[in-house]
Short mmCIF file of all heavy atoms in Angstrom, two decimals:
data_model
loop_
_atom_site.label_atom_id
_atom_site.label_comp_id
_atom_site.label_asym_id
_atom_site.label_seq_id
_atom_site.Cartn_x
_atom_site.Cartn_y
_atom_site.Cartn_z
N LYS A 33 -76.42 52.97 212.54
CA LYS A 33 -76.07 52.05 213.53
C LYS A 33 -74.62 52.23 213.99
O LYS A 33 -73.77 52.30 213.09
CB LYS A 33 -76.33 50.60 213.09
CG LYS A 33 -76.13 49.54 214.16
CD LYS A 33 -74.80 48.82 213.95
CE LYS A 33 -74.48 47.95 215.19
NZ LYS A 33 -73.23 47.21 215.09
N GLY A 35 -71.48 50.73 216.25
CA GLY A 35 -71.05 49.56 217.03
C GLY A 35 -70.22 49.89 218.27
O GLY A 35 -69.71 51.00 218.36
N SER A 36 -70.16 48.94 219.15
CA SER A 36 -69.38 49.17 220.38
C SER A 36 -67.95 49.46 220.10
O SER A 36 -67.31 50.28 220.79
CB SER A 36 -69.41 47.83 221.26
OG SER A 36 -70.73 47.44 221.49
N SER A 71 -77.72 52.28 218.65
CA SER A 71 -76.40 52.35 219.34
C SER A 71 -76.09 51.18 220.26
O SER A 71 -76.92 50.86 221.15
CB SER A 71 -76.24 53.65 220.13
OG SER A 71 -74.98 53.71 220.70
N SER A 72 -74.99 50.57 220.03
CA SER A 72 -74.46 49.57 220.94
C SER A 72 -73.67 50.34 221.98
O SER A 72 -73.68 51.52 221.99
CB SER A 72 -73.54 48.55 220.17
OG SER A 72 -74.25 47.98 219.14
N GLY A 73 -72.98 49.59 222.81
CA GLY A 73 -72.07 50.21 223.74
C GLY A 73 -72.49 50.09 225.19
O GLY A 73 -71.76 50.51 226.09
N ALA A 74 -73.68 49.55 225.46
CA ALA A 74 -74.15 49.45 226.87
C ALA A 74 -73.24 48.49 227.59
O ALA A 74 -72.75 48.79 228.69
CB ALA A 74 -75.60 49.04 226.90
N VAL A 75 -73.06 47.31 227.03
CA VAL A 75 -72.30 46.29 227.75
C VAL A 75 -70.84 46.74 227.91
O VAL A 75 -70.27 46.64 229.01
CB VAL A 75 -72.37 44.92 227.01
CG1 VAL A 75 -71.47 43.90 227.67
CG2 VAL A 75 -73.79 44.39 226.96
N SER A 76 -70.23 47.26 226.82
CA SER A 76 -68.83 47.62 226.95
C SER A 76 -68.66 48.82 227.86
O SER A 76 -67.68 48.89 228.63
CB SER A 76 -68.22 47.89 225.59
OG SER A 76 -69.02 48.74 224.88
N ARG A 87 -65.16 40.67 228.06
CA ARG A 87 -66.60 40.50 227.97
C ARG A 87 -67.00 39.17 228.57
O ARG A 87 -66.45 38.11 228.19
CB ARG A 87 -66.92 40.59 226.49
CG ARG A 87 -68.38 40.85 226.20
CD ARG A 87 -68.66 40.91 224.69
NE ARG A 87 -70.03 40.88 224.40
CZ ARG A 87 -70.82 41.99 224.24
NH1 ARG A 87 -70.28 43.16 224.36
NH2 ARG A 87 -72.07 41.87 224.00
N ALA A 98 -75.20 45.53 230.87
CA ALA A 98 -75.98 46.42 230.05
C ALA A 98 -76.77 47.36 230.90
O ALA A 98 -76.96 48.54 230.58
CB ALA A 98 -76.94 45.58 229.18
N GLN A 102 -76.03 51.21 230.07
CA GLN A 102 -76.96 51.93 229.23
C GLN A 102 -77.24 53.40 229.65
O GLN A 102 -77.27 54.29 228.78
CB GLN A 102 -78.30 51.13 229.17
CG GLN A 102 -79.41 51.70 228.31
CD GLN A 102 -79.06 51.75 226.79
OE1 GLN A 102 -78.25 51.00 226.26
NE2 GLN A 102 -79.69 52.64 226.07
N LEU A 105 -74.38 55.55 228.48
CA LEU A 105 -74.42 55.70 227.04
C LEU A 105 -75.40 56.80 226.63
O LEU A 105 -75.10 57.73 225.89
CB LEU A 105 -74.87 54.36 226.44
CG LEU A 105 -74.95 54.26 224.92
CD1 LEU A 105 -73.54 54.41 224.34
CD2 LEU A 105 -75.49 52.83 224.54
N ASN A 156 -81.66 50.61 221.29
CA ASN A 156 -80.71 49.55 221.61
C ASN A 156 -81.57 48.35 222.05
O ASN A 156 -82.77 48.48 222.30
CB ASN A 156 -79.81 49.93 222.83
CG ASN A 156 -78.60 48.97 222.93
OD1 ASN A 156 -78.42 48.06 222.17
ND2 ASN A 156 -77.71 49.30 223.89
N GLU A 157 -80.99 47.17 221.98
CA GLU A 157 -81.69 46.00 222.38
C GLU A 157 -81.86 46.07 223.90
O GLU A 157 -80.98 46.54 224.57
CB GLU A 157 -80.95 44.73 222.01
CG GLU A 157 -81.69 43.47 222.49
CD GLU A 157 -81.39 42.26 221.64
OE1 GLU A 157 -80.43 42.29 220.85
OE2 GLU A 157 -82.19 41.34 221.68
N ASP A 159 -81.26 44.57 226.45
CA ASP A 159 -80.38 43.49 226.85
C ASP A 159 -80.73 42.91 228.26
O ASP A 159 -80.63 41.70 228.46
CB ASP A 159 -78.90 43.87 226.90
CG ASP A 159 -78.39 44.23 225.51
OD1 ASP A 159 -78.53 43.39 224.61
OD2 ASP A 159 -77.87 45.36 225.31
N GLY A 169 -80.29 39.09 218.48
CA GLY A 169 -79.01 38.46 218.20
C GLY A 169 -77.90 39.50 218.34
O GLY A 169 -76.98 39.36 219.11
N ASP A 170 -77.99 40.52 217.53
CA ASP A 170 -77.01 41.58 217.62
C ASP A 170 -77.57 42.85 217.07
O ASP A 170 -78.67 42.79 216.47
CB ASP A 170 -75.66 41.19 216.86
CG ASP A 170 -76.04 40.84 215.42
OD1 ASP A 170 -76.51 41.65 214.69
OD2 ASP A 170 -75.73 39.67 215.05
N ASN A 171 -76.88 43.96 217.29
CA ASN A 171 -77.47 45.22 216.80
C ASN A 171 -77.45 45.45 215.36
O ASN A 171 -78.10 46.37 214.77
CB ASN A 171 -76.80 46.40 217.54
CG ASN A 171 -77.40 46.64 218.93
OD1 ASN A 171 -78.28 45.87 219.37
ND2 ASN A 171 -77.01 47.70 219.60
N ASP A 172 -76.68 44.61 214.56
CA ASP A 172 -76.67 44.69 213.13
C ASP A 172 -78.09 44.27 212.65
O ASP A 172 -78.75 44.92 211.86
CB ASP A 172 -75.61 43.81 212.52
CG ASP A 172 -74.21 44.27 212.90
OD1 ASP A 172 -73.98 45.50 212.83
OD2 ASP A 172 -73.40 43.42 213.29
N LEU A 231 -65.29 43.86 221.43
CA LEU A 231 -66.30 44.54 222.23
C LEU A 231 -67.72 44.28 221.80
O LEU A 231 -68.62 44.28 222.58
CB LEU A 231 -66.05 46.09 222.17
CG LEU A 231 -64.80 46.58 222.80
CD1 LEU A 231 -64.50 47.97 222.47
CD2 LEU A 231 -64.94 46.43 224.33
N GLY A 232 -67.96 44.08 220.51
CA GLY A 232 -69.31 43.93 220.00
C GLY A 232 -69.79 42.44 219.94
O GLY A 232 -69.04 41.56 220.35
N THR A 233 -70.95 42.26 219.39
CA THR A 233 -71.51 40.93 219.29
C THR A 233 -71.44 40.36 217.88
O THR A 233 -71.08 39.20 217.71
CB THR A 233 -73.00 40.96 219.76
OG1 THR A 233 -73.09 41.61 221.00
CG2 THR A 233 -73.58 39.59 219.85
N GLY A 234 -71.75 41.16 216.91
CA GLY A 234 -71.78 40.71 215.50
C GLY A 234 -70.42 40.72 214.92
O GLY A 234 -69.49 41.38 215.41
N1 LIG B 510 -76.82 45.67 222.81
C1 LIG B 510 -75.47 45.53 223.07
C2 LIG B 510 -74.80 46.66 223.83
O1 LIG B 510 -75.40 47.75 223.85
C3 LIG B 510 -74.59 45.38 221.81
C4 LIG B 510 -75.00 44.30 220.88
C5 LIG B 510 -74.07 44.33 219.66
O2 LIG B 510 -72.97 44.84 219.77
O3 LIG B 510 -74.50 43.91 218.59
O4 LIG B 510 -73.78 46.51 224.37
#
Side-chain angles (χ1 to χ4, degrees):
K33 185 257 168 179
S36 304
S71 180
S72 303
V75 174
S76 50
R87 200 177 166 92
Q102 181 66 23
L105 183 64
N156 196 358
E157 179 151 17
D159 293 305
D170 55 61
N171 276 6
D172 297 313
L231 293 168
T233 309

